[in-house]
Amino acid sequence: MTEPAPHPKIPVPAGTGAPVGRRERKKAQTRKALADAALELFLERGFDQVGVKEIADAADVSVTTLFKHFASKEALVFDQADDIEAGLVAAVRDRAPGQSIPQALRAHIIRPDGHVGHPEFAPFLRLVSETPALRDYSHRMWMRHETALARAIAQEAGAPDDDATCAALAHFALESRELVHGHADPARAAEEVFALLERGWAAAHPDR
């Protein structure tokens, strides 16, 4: 049996453990089976060429069960998306002493992926980059946490929840992910983008 193909790696917040009850374990197993089956089929034939019924059949569940676990076909590719918001907030709140908020966000958002060495990681990246529906979903998946991130930044900076500078940092930090990963030299792009954000943030919040 081959090892399941990698999904986007999103850090799980501290304190989050594996499901402990039988029902929770069963739900987690079903969700994983669906995500693994979907990604295997997508990598083999392409996202647009695979239907949800084929995925459900491959995981030995009904289409109704599939949609109980995943709201859309695109969501099957990003099965750990629920952890994004918690990870972003934790990056801000649990940053190291002396680390600025932009520095913490850079380390979290533009981080090495633990699946880089996996033989199917490159095909996975191509699948996402070459499929407009998946590119759009990935972007929306990150940007929908903009409000929660802005609120966490404001709390850490001692600013009002509607502070425009905190909202701007949240917005541009999240937008930077797609820009950086699409650049010919991602490391240099990350350094330049976050240096710009750092200077602007330091001018507005010199102690944060």
Side-chain angles (χ1 to χ4, degrees), residues 151-164:
R151 187 179 301 116
I153 293 170
Q155 289 171 353
E156 286 297 299
D161 283 350
D162 63 351
D163 183 83

Side-chain angles (χ1 to χ4, degrees), residues 14 86-108 149-159 166 169 198 201 205-208:
L88 288 165
V89 171
V92 171
R93 291 181 177 167
D94 302 334
R95 67 191 186 282
Q99 186 180 41
S100 71
I101 293 174
Q103 288 169 349
L105 288 173
R106 181 190 185 281
H108 179 75
L149 178 58
R151 187 179 301 116
I153 293 170
Q155 289 171 353
E156 286 297 299
C166 297
L169 177 59
E198 179 74 36
W201 179 254
H205 302 272
D207 299 325
R208 297 291 177 176

